[in-house]
Amino acid sequence: MLFRQLFDGVSGTYSYLIASRRGGEALIIDPVLEKVDRYLQLVAELDVRLVKAVDTHLHADHITGLGALRDRTRCITVMGEQSKVDVVSMRVADGDRLGIEGILLDVIYTPGHTDDSYSFLMDDRVFTGDTLLIRGTGRTDFQNGDARAQYESLFGRLLKLPDETLVYPAHDYKGDTVSTIGEERRFNPRLQVTSADEYAALMAALKLPDPKMMDVSVPANMHQGFHQEEVARRGWAVTAAEAASLIGQRDVALIDLRERGERERHGVIPGSLHAPYIDLQENMKPGGMLHELATATGKRLLFYCAFGERSAMAVQSAQDAGLHKACHIAGGMAAWNEVVRTG
Ligand SMILES: [Fe+2]
């Protein structure tokens, strides 16, 4: 496995680049905008392909690198389903498994620092975001923070992991890089409490100043969506309502770019072919499934995904590959389900 812990000294943020092998797929957790060049250099040096960029929560102390990484690599952006970000490519929920080639992360909903805070468990280690820090915990006094919810996330979820589980947080301000669940249980001063009330009182007494970057970071981090308007302006988008009349037509091939878990949870548009976005480059090149489908049959590829972001990027890739009839359903499955719901 390739595993790199990267540090942004300005915000004290740790980011993690993970891949199962050289030449394989990679994901990054909590990337910082100013460090995007560094990440991409490392991605090239390690000879991996960045396919997913994940934020553990909506950050208040730095601007996320999610949007920039997506724009430069066409990777999939991932956040929790509660996140107030305008658009991400994929939203995850508690109990999901987030995968890339050779690696599976268990998705654990750990609210408290914010109401969209998630932790990700990978074998012997857990990425705790700002829920559990080394000898500390994330503040709970803004962004819908809730000390009692955090108590449950800590004691009910993270501290239930085996003692030897490595703890990799999103921040450290003292120079510590890694800890373990057992070590934090014993020595983390915030965890030496016996009830949610006692924990809430401890957190209420902290009286922390707002993060320096908060007024800039939070609004910026809420607007990370891919600019689907450009795709629409070129005539490469149809609305979910328009899509309903195209489906079933013989000259249209409907392509679902989502992953299996998303299809199971949110349903499928009937008659669609499943071709996960992660395999798009393979499928789109000459000889690839989608390339052959489009060129051999002359069919118009109609892509869709969860929110229209992956499908908008797929349309661009298709256009780049010379498949000029390709288009996508703006707003994705979310928009489709809305049309179905309202008739
Ligand atoms: Fe945070």
Side-chain angles (χ1 to χ4, degrees):
M1 183 181 62
L2 297 169
F3 178 77
R4 296 289 184 277
Q5 183 177 36
L6 298 139
F7 186 59
D8 171 49
V10 177
S11 61
T13 303
Y14 286 128
S15 309
Y16 301 93
L17 181 72
I18 306 163
S20 64
R21 64 174 180 93
R22 281 183 189 271
E25 295 173 354
L27 72 79
I28 192 165
I29 297 175
D30 287 331
V32 175
L33 178 62
E34 287 78 6
K35 297 289 179 189
V36 160
D37 285 340
R38 169 68 187 128
Y39 306 143
L40 293 179
Q41 182 193 3
L42 186 59
V43 159
E45 289 167 352
L46 296 178
D47 184 27
V48 292
R49 184 165 73 91
L50 186 68
V51 296
K52 285 181 181 165
V54 187
D55 265 356
T56 51
H57 63 287
L58 196 112
H59 296 283
D61 57 353
H62 67 267
I63 298 177
T64 176
L66 250 58
L69 286 170
R70 176 206 55 225
D71 289 345
R72 291 177 60 180
T73 68
R74 294 188 181 172
C75 69
I76 299 171
T77 55
V78 183
M79 288 188 78
E81 63 179 1
Q82 293 82 359
S83 175
K84 301 198 177 45
V85 64
D86 55 347
V87 186
V88 281
S89 306
M90 179 185 292
R91 288 180 185 265
V92 291
D94 189 66
D96 283 353
R97 305 193 92 184
L98 182 64
I100 60 167
E101 175 199 349
I103 287 171
L104 274 179
L105 305 185
D106 286 313
V107 179
I108 310 173
Y109 183 41
T110 50
H113 169 60
T114 64
D115 59 359
D116 70 343
S117 288
Y118 277 79
S119 299
F120 296 91
L121 177 66
M122 182 178 85
D123 303 326
D124 63 345
R125 61 199 65 195
V126 61
F127 304 97
T128 54
D130 289 358
T131 303
L132 177 59
L133 305 176
I134 299 173
R135 308 302 190 265
T137 56
R139 61 192 300 170
T140 56
D141 55 341
F142 58 73
Q143 286 188 285
N144 297 320
D146 180 337
R148 283 183 174 74
Q150 193 173 52
Y151 178 88
E152 284 307 317
S153 296
L154 291 163
F155 285 86
R157 306 298 300 270
L158 295 178
L159 294 184
K160 295 253 161 86
L161 297 171
D163 269 6
E164 59 276 17
T165 309
L166 297 167
V167 172
Y168 283 103
H171 291 290
D172 194 84
Y173 310 101
K174 312 173 299 295
D176 291 318
T177 54
V178 60
S179 180
T180 66
I181 289 291
E183 215 175 300
E184 291 311 308
R185 185 202 316 284
R186 287 197 297 281
F187 305 120
N188 189 323
R190 301 261 175 91
L191 303 182
Q192 311 310 310
V193 294
T194 52
S195 70
D197 284 347
E198 196 185 331
Y199 184 73
L202 179 78
M203 296 305 282
L206 291 177
K207 304 270 188 294
L208 299 166
D210 282 348
K212 288 187 288 275
M213 286 279 287
M214 182 167 166
D215 294 340
V216 178
S217 301
V218 170
N221 288 340
M222 284 172 72
H223 297 285
Q224 287 295 318
F226 179 78
H227 295 292
Q228 295 185 31
E229 311 78 39
E230 181 57 19
V231 171
R233 200 183 57 75
R234 293 174 176 232
W236 299 341
V238 300
T239 65
E242 289 163 354
S245 62
L246 289 174
I247 288 162
Q249 290 189 10
R250 273 196 308 192
D251 59 344
V252 174
L254 184 64
I255 314 291
D256 184 357
L257 296 167
R258 295 171 303 158
E259 298 186 0
R260 205 181 61 203
E262 298 176 279
R263 287 160 59 87
E264 286 166 2
R265 188 139 52 89
H266 299 291
V268 175
I269 303 178
S272 50
L273 181 71
H274 185 208
Y277 178 83
I278 217 158
D279 301 326
L280 186 73
Q281 298 313 324
E282 199 61 33
N283 287 334
M284 201 75 86
K285 65 187 185 196
M289 175 178 71
L290 295 177
H291 196 277
E292 291 310 298
L293 175 67
T295 51
T297 66
K299 287 190 187 207
R300 179 181 194 188
L301 301 180
L302 174 56
F303 293 106
Y304 75 99
C305 61
F307 307 105
E309 185 158 294
R310 275 168 281 182
S311 57
M313 294 192 287
V315 169
Q316 292 203 317
S317 294
Q319 298 287 342
D320 294 348
L323 307 177
H324 299 300
K325 289 195 288 186
C327 60
H328 84 128
I329 303 179
M333 196 68 197
W336 174 267
N337 278 338
E338 188 62 21
V339 165
V340 170
R341 196 178 61 81
T342 57

